[in-house]
Amino acid sequence: MDNNTVNEETTLLSRNNKKQQGLPKVQISILLLLRLCEPITGRSISPYINELVGGLDIIGGDERKVGHYGVAWSRLSDRIGRKPVLLFGLAGVSLSMLLFGLSRTFWTLVISRCLCGFLNGNTGVMKSAMGDLTDSSNRARAFSFLSINWAVGSSLGPLMGGSFARPHERFPAVFAGQFWIDYPYFLPCLVVSSFIGFAFIIALLSLKETAPRHRGDVSSPHVRPAEGPVALRGLLIYPVLISVSNYVTLAFLDIMFNALLPLFFAMPIEIGGLGFEPSTIGYILGIQGLCSGTLQVLFFPRLIRRFGVRSIFVKGIMSFIPAYMLFPLMNIIARRSGVNAIVWTIIALVISLMSFRSMGYGCVSMYVIASSPNKHSLGATNGLAQTSVSLARALGPAVSTSLFALSIGSNLLGGYAVHAILVVISCLAILPAVCLPEQVWEEKNSSETGTNTSTD
């Protein structure tokens, strides 16, 4: 078998046959800071997005961005390096957040979110950089930090959005001007944009290039100078396809859940929700992220070593089934007795279940990175994954929120048909998950990874 080909017959990694290498702490920390910008940007709008859309009288619209540009940016990072692409993406996200806060019509919302998707391919590029800095011996540990980081951002984002929205009402002594009345959601966008600006400066000054072609690895005796990124069709191999398919499945379930949860919290009890205020929604989503991050740091690497990558991923997929089933139960109790201690207990249970969902992302990211045909194609592989996932993330919110509206409007299964349908979809998602190998594939050109040491 060709040494540079990864396929379904490639030897799987044993769980304990390689001594764990140290991590480059400073560079990993910078990447984690950059990664923090992604969930903060995405989740900061969750507490107030329903109010914002309702205030614009565009309930029939859908402003979800379609980020079809992940492959282009990630392949570009293979060729010109990770750092310039990351910096450009940060600048694009910062600009799009400011435009979002200044939007007063549906189409300006659409343009700002599409601009964010067009200018930002950082998720795939950052995962590629993490792959550059790690190997199979320490990747579970590194990706536990990545998952924790996402959880922290998922906590901070809603807290920022919920706490700073409508500042003229919450802090009238400071934000009393007409501007804050006309643009009640600009302040949270400004806070998020400022944080991204801080991360941009840190990356500009301190982030080192990690792409193999741009860090001098081509001089290594282990690397053939003629080798480089494969063509896009070279990525259409079984390990890449099955890994990306499961990533898409997880993202589709996740984005439907993330779209439905704040909608469920915001809708009045009588039409199937819980009737919470934006600040309450922000606090709940923030606690969800905090709990998820805590469990990640305490248990993710240990669970991977104990049960294997596939087992944890399958459990992550399965966690959606009881989570979706608990939605109608919460509303039924709230209709009869109000939002009482039982409802809050169920909310806590849903938050706990979603921690397994977060672990699924760490697992599937390890599969995607290990499936790359070679180190020089790591960016392209992650780009293909992110572009595929962006399609699911564009479709998912429309599916779950439309099903919610249809279920309530037509009183299907008492208004709870959306939850039954999502449970069925979650059950079907288990099928591709069990097709993954128990452990990730053995990486090719692993000797190229020259930066996975304990110092920078």
Side-chain angles (χ1 to χ4, degrees):
M1 182 168 52
D2 187 280
N3 289 334
N4 295 302
T5 303
V6 182
N7 55 44
E8 61 269 35
E9 298 178 353
T10 303
T11 304
L12 301 179
L13 289 172
S14 64
R15 297 182 186 180
N16 301 300
N17 67 345
K18 190 172 183 179
K19 183 178 179 180
Q20 181 169 309
Q21 301 293 320
L23 293 172
K25 299 180 181 61
V26 173
Q27 294 302 300
I28 291 288
S29 298
I30 295 173
L31 286 175
L32 292 178
L33 174 64
L34 304 188
R35 174 68 163 166
L36 199 61
C37 298
E38 299 284 325
I40 287 178
T41 300
R43 299 298 297 277
S44 65
I45 68 174
S46 298
Y48 61 80
I49 185 61
N50 292 303
E51 273 195 1
L52 173 60
V53 173
L56 294 175
D57 195 27
I58 50 172
I59 297 301
D62 177 37
E63 54 84 33
R64 305 304 299 188
K65 67 176 183 285
V66 184
H68 292 164
Y69 308 98
V71 167
W73 289 117
S74 295
R75 284 182 66 85
L76 184 63
S77 78
D78 281 334
R79 300 185 181 278
I80 71 171
R82 315 289 188 218
K83 183 173 180 176
V85 176
L86 287 171
L87 292 174
F88 188 85
L90 289 171
V93 173
S94 181
L95 176 61
S96 70
M97 284 303 298
L98 293 176
L99 292 177
F100 189 84
L102 294 172
S103 298
R104 301 188 67 180
T105 67
F106 173 69
W107 288 111
T108 53
L109 290 177
V110 171
I111 291 171
S112 67
R113 300 310 284 173
C114 288
L115 183 65
C116 181
F118 175 71
L119 296 178
N120 177 29
N122 278 5
T123 298
V125 180
M126 278 185 282
K127 290 182 179 180
S128 299
M130 290 288 283
D132 296 333
L133 293 168
T134 60
D135 60 23
S136 57
S137 72
N138 56 19
R139 188 156 292 144
R141 182 184 172 203
F143 272 86
S144 71
F145 294 135
L146 201 60
S147 298
I148 295 162
N149 179 260
W150 184 270
V152 171
S154 296
S155 298
L156 292 177
L159 289 175
M160 289 179 179
S163 299
F164 294 106
R166 299 185 310 203
H168 64 286
E169 296 178 4
R170 298 175 61 84
F171 315 106
V174 180
F175 301 96
Q178 186 63 37
F179 175 85
W180 304 108
I181 298 175
D182 293 339
Y183 301 96
Y185 306 106
F186 179 73
L187 183 59
C189 294
L190 178 62
V191 172
V192 171
S193 182
S194 299
F195 180 86
I196 297 171
F198 169 75
F200 179 94
I201 294 172
I202 295 297
L204 179 65
L205 298 178
S206 303
L207 182 64
K208 297 178 182 178
E209 183 56 66
T210 65
R213 297 182 73 189
H214 297 271
R215 68 180 188 220
D217 284 2
V218 293
S219 62
S220 168
H222 299 288
V223 183
R224 292 178 296 178
E227 189 176 32
V230 301
L232 183 59
R233 64 178 177 274
L235 300 177
L236 304 181
I237 55 178
Y238 178 79
V240 174
L241 294 178
I242 191 63
S243 300
V244 171
S245 296
N246 276 280
Y247 190 10
V248 170
T249 300
L250 174 61
F252 185 63
L253 292 174
D254 187 36
I255 197 65
M256 287 195 296
F257 182 88
N258 286 338
L260 185 62
L261 186 63
L263 179 62
F264 174 77
F265 285 155
M267 290 296 100
I269 294 175
E270 57 271 17
I271 63 172
L274 293 180
F276 289 154
E277 290 292 322
S279 57
T280 303
I281 297 172
Y283 294 141
I284 294 173
L285 297 179
I287 292 172
Q288 175 190 335
L290 180 62
C291 292
S292 178
T294 301
L295 292 176
Q296 292 279 342
V297 71
L298 292 177
F299 300 114
F300 182 70
R302 298 178 186 178
L303 290 173
I304 291 297
R305 289 193 296 268
R306 175 66 178 84
F307 297 104
V309 183
R310 185 181 68 180
S311 176
I312 300 303
F313 179 75
V314 172
K315 289 178 174 61
I317 294 292
M318 293 177 64
S319 67
F320 285 98
I321 299 173
Y324 282 130
M325 294 175 67
L326 291 172
F327 278 74
L329 179 60
M330 285 188 281
N331 180 252
I332 290 172
I333 296 173
R335 285 174 184 261
R336 296 179 179 179
S337 307
V339 181
N340 56 19
I342 298 176
V343 173
W344 284 108
T345 301
I346 297 174
I347 291 174
L349 179 57
V350 171
I351 289 174
S352 300
L353 288 169
M354 287 302 95
S355 297
F356 284 98
R357 172 274 317 259
S358 298
M359 292 186 187
Y361 276 110
C363 294
V364 78
S365 295
M366 293 167 63
Y367 277 111
V368 170
I369 286 177
S371 70
S372 177
N374 58 50
K375 279 287 184 179
H376 295 288
S377 300
L378 190 55
T381 304
N382 274 297
L384 176 64
Q386 292 304 134
T387 297
S388 302
V389 163
S390 73
L391 297 175
R393 286 176 171 163
L395 180 62
V399 171
S400 61
T401 56
S402 297
L403 284 174
F404 184 86
L406 179 62
S407 299
I408 298 299
S410 302
N411 197 33
L412 301 177
L413 294 181
Y416 302 125
V418 55
H419 310 294
I421 294 172
L422 294 178
V423 166
V424 172
I425 295 175
S426 300
C427 291
L428 294 175
I430 298 174
L431 298 178
V434 298
C435 293
L436 290 165
E438 291 186 7
Q439 294 294 321
V440 299
W441 294 274
E442 183 178 0
E443 295 178 59
K444 296 306 174 183
N445 304 329
S446 59
S447 59
E448 297 173 34
T449 306
T451 55
N452 52 340
T453 57
S454 59
T455 61
D456 289 82

